[in-house]
Amino acid sequence: MPYTRHFLLDKNKFMKFKFLKIFFLFGFICFFSLKVYAIDSEETFLRAGDFYNNKKYKQALDLYESIDRKGPAIFYNIGNCKFELEQYFDALVYYNRAKNGASFDLLNSINCNINIVNSKLGVSVKETFWQKLEDNIKLHSIFKLQVLFLIFWFLFFILYIFLKKIRVVFLSINFIFIIMFGFFVFVKCRMEKYPVAISRKSISVYLGPSEIYHKLIDISKAQKVQVKAKERVSFKKEYKDWFKIKYNGITGWVLARDLEII
């Protein structure tokens, strides 16, 4: 009887050891794979930079586009390649994509390049207050704002405990922080739910998803619109995709092929 119990304990220890060995082996493989992928992406990024510096823009563009996980810097460099290849509309699209998560310095460069591209396209774009606000919010994530909120809240809470005189101030600032955070989350969720698109050319906005509906307005090339919905419509045995959009307070429908989602 003692012998059998001793055998079971050894077997349990062996199974635990085997499980831990498999777990650590799996973790090592995942870590090594991610590290190899990161090194490979960095190598591709550097090679693309060399091609760009040597004015081989097509080769640089192919390498930048081959990188799976694209961030602001890669989108920005793709925009630069498109600009040098005189693909100005595509450059405009990628510059706008680069705004999401860009640093303040990069954002200044992006806005400068967008103005140059607009002049090349011969268009004048006036961003609304809401669009400028969304561009600034793109610089930050909800997680980053949560961390800042918790830091400030903790500091004011310490003051609240030791200095009774500022309790009213603490409550007021706490209320303002909550309102600001709620507004930030609302705008961020709105941006994710309703993406922004750029018009490829001068387009007409219709009351419904077909050209038989009343035309509301015309939108010039390279203007930003907010996409609300998408619908496929059959007319005379021909299927066309339509976007429901909002532009300058007007809601209507345009052909999906005439827009490029940012």
Side-chain angles (χ1 to χ4, degrees), residues 120-175:
K120 290 286 186 181
L121 292 171
V123 298
S124 177
V125 179
K126 293 182 179 180
E127 290 192 339
T128 62
F129 169 78
W130 191 263
Q131 288 173 337
K132 291 179 180 178
L133 179 64
E134 288 183 345
D135 283 343
N136 284 292
I137 287 179
K138 284 179 181 178
L139 301 175
H140 310 287
S141 64
I142 293 178
F143 174 75
K144 187 189 296 184
L145 193 71
Q146 284 176 325
V147 172
L148 291 174
F149 176 79
L150 288 174
I151 291 173
F152 280 109
W153 187 88
F154 178 75
L155 292 175
F156 279 106
F157 183 72
I158 296 298
L159 293 174
Y160 173 80
I161 293 175
F162 292 101
L163 300 175
K164 296 181 179 180
K165 293 181 180 180
I166 68 158
R167 289 190 174 182
V168 176
V169 178
F170 168 77
L171 293 174
S172 301
I173 293 176
N174 200 27
F175 177 75

Side-chain angles (χ1 to χ4, degrees), residues 146-243:
Q146 284 176 325
V147 172
L148 291 174
F149 176 79
L150 288 174
I151 291 173
F152 280 109
W153 187 88
F154 178 75
L155 292 175
F156 279 106
F157 183 72
I158 296 298
L159 293 174
Y160 173 80
I161 293 175
F162 292 101
L163 300 175
K164 296 181 179 180
K165 293 181 180 180
I166 68 158
R167 289 190 174 182
V168 176
V169 178
F170 168 77
L171 293 174
S172 301
I173 293 176
N174 200 27
F175 177 75
I176 293 171
F177 277 165
I178 292 172
I179 296 297
M180 289 176 60
F181 181 72
F183 178 74
F184 181 91
V185 172
F186 167 75
V187 175
K188 199 77 173 176
C189 293
R190 179 177 176 271
M191 290 166 59
E192 293 177 357
K193 185 177 180 180
Y194 302 120
V196 176
I198 300 178
S199 53
R200 287 186 168 274
K201 58 181 182 179
S202 296
I203 57 177
S204 298
V205 181
Y206 296 93
L207 187 61
S210 176
E211 294 170 348
I212 63 174
Y213 286 93
H214 174 70
K215 185 170 73 171
L216 299 174
I217 56 169
D218 290 322
I219 299 177
S220 58
K221 184 178 181 179
Q223 301 298 315
K224 288 183 180 180
V225 300
Q226 193 174 49
V227 178
K228 295 284 189 179
K230 183 179 181 180
E231 187 172 328
R232 172 163 285 192
V233 179
S234 174
F235 182 70
K236 293 182 179 180
K237 297 182 180 181
E238 183 181 2
Y239 286 93
K240 291 183 179 180
D241 290 327
W242 289 78
F243 280 142

Side-chain angles (χ1 to χ4, degrees), residues 101-130:
S103 63
F104 285 104
D105 292 337
L106 182 57
L107 183 63
N108 290 330
S109 299
I110 291 170
N111 288 330
C112 180
N113 287 4
I114 286 175
N115 291 332
I116 296 172
V117 170
N118 286 334
S119 65
K120 290 286 186 181
L121 292 171
V123 298
S124 177
V125 179
K126 293 182 179 180
E127 290 192 339
T128 62
F129 169 78
W130 191 263

